[in-house]
Amino acid sequence: MISKVLLTPNCVIDWKASPHMIVSGVTGSTKTNTLEDILLSSMSAKSRLDSQQIGMSAKPYLIDGKGADLASLKSLHPAVTPNQAARVLRIITQNMHKRYDRFSGDFGKVASDYIENGKSVRNIVLIIDELAVLLNDPKLRSEILRYLFDLLVAARQASIYVSPRWGKQ
C-alpha cells in the first residue's frame, strides 16, 4: 500500500508512520492551503519521487466549518454545517467499524489488501478545517466530538487518516 503523499520535493507525509495530523498556526500562515495540498496530493494517482511511489488515490472527505476556502472544492461535496459534519463523521465511523469487522483476524493487513466489487478497498483521508466553528453548536458538539475521538483513536488500522484544523475558539 502506498501511504506517502508528496507536498514538495522536501516534504513527504507518510500516513502509515504518522496517521493523524493537526495543522496549527497564526492567522494567515497558510494552514488551509496546506490542508488543501494534503487533500489533493492524497487523491492523486501514484507518481515517483527518488524511486519511491508517492500518492494514495484515497477517497477524500472534507469538512469546512466556515464554509469558506475548502468549501470551494464543490466536486468533493464538502460538509459545511454542524449537521452535515456530524453526518460525514457518522458515515466514516460506521465505515471504520465495518472495516474492523472485515479486517478482524488479519493482523498487518490494510484496506488495499482487500478486494470489494473487483477493486481494492481505498484509503480514506478526512480533512477538517475550522473544527472549532462546528463545535459551537450545543446540540451537535458532543456527537461531533464522539465521532472524532473514535476516529482519532482507531481509524488508522482501518486505513482512514484524519487531519483536523481547529481554528480559533
Side-chain angles (χ1 to χ4, degrees), residues 3-18:
S3 64
K4 295 179 181 178
V5 172
L6 174 67
L7 290 183
T8 70
N10 296 323
C11 182
V12 177
I13 297 171
D14 186 344
W15 288 110
K16 212 172 195 180
S18 182

Side-chain angles (χ1 to χ4, degrees), residues 72-83:
S72 67
L73 300 170
K74 301 271 188 233
S75 64
L76 299 180
H77 310 290
V80 296
T81 67
N83 276 330

Side-chain angles (χ1 to χ4, degrees), residues 16-133:
K16 212 172 195 180
S18 182
H20 309 299
M21 162 189 325
I22 292 178
V23 177
S24 64
V26 299
T27 300
S29 62
T30 71
K31 298 175 299 292
T32 299
N33 290 347
T34 300
L35 286 174
E36 183 176 8
D37 287 348
I38 291 167
L39 177 70
L40 296 175
S41 295
S42 297
M43 292 168 46
S44 72
K46 298 171 182 94
S47 60
R48 297 187 80 61
L49 173 69
D50 297 332
S51 76
Q52 289 184 316
Q53 290 201 332
I54 308 292
M56 297 172 18
S57 223
K59 179 170 178 48
Y61 286 89
L62 180 58
I63 298 172
D64 185 348
K66 280 188 179 175
D69 298 319
L70 294 179
S72 67
L73 300 170
K74 301 271 188 233
S75 64
L76 299 180
H77 310 290
V80 296
T81 67
N83 276 330
Q84 292 171 343
R87 184 177 64 74
V88 165
L89 292 169
R90 184 180 323 105
I91 288 167
I92 296 172
T93 302
Q94 289 169 345
N95 187 321
M96 177 184 72
H97 291 295
K98 286 179 189 173
R99 287 177 178 214
Y100 265 104
D101 290 344
R102 202 173 319 144
F103 298 176
S104 179
D106 290 333
F107 181 76
K109 287 195 174 185
V110 294
S112 59
D113 293 329
Y114 294 90
I115 304 298
E116 193 172 82
N117 299 327
K119 295 181 181 179
S120 290
V121 176
R122 292 172 69 190
N123 293 310
I124 291 174
V125 172
L126 168 63
I127 301 289
I128 305 171
D129 197 12
E130 299 292 350
L131 179 61
V133 174

Side-chain angles (χ1 to χ4, degrees), residues 136-149:
N136 281 327
D137 185 308
K139 290 184 203 170
L140 294 171
R141 178 185 178 98
S142 63
E143 181 181 1
I144 289 170
L145 284 173
R146 185 178 63 248
Y147 290 135
L148 187 58
F149 178 80

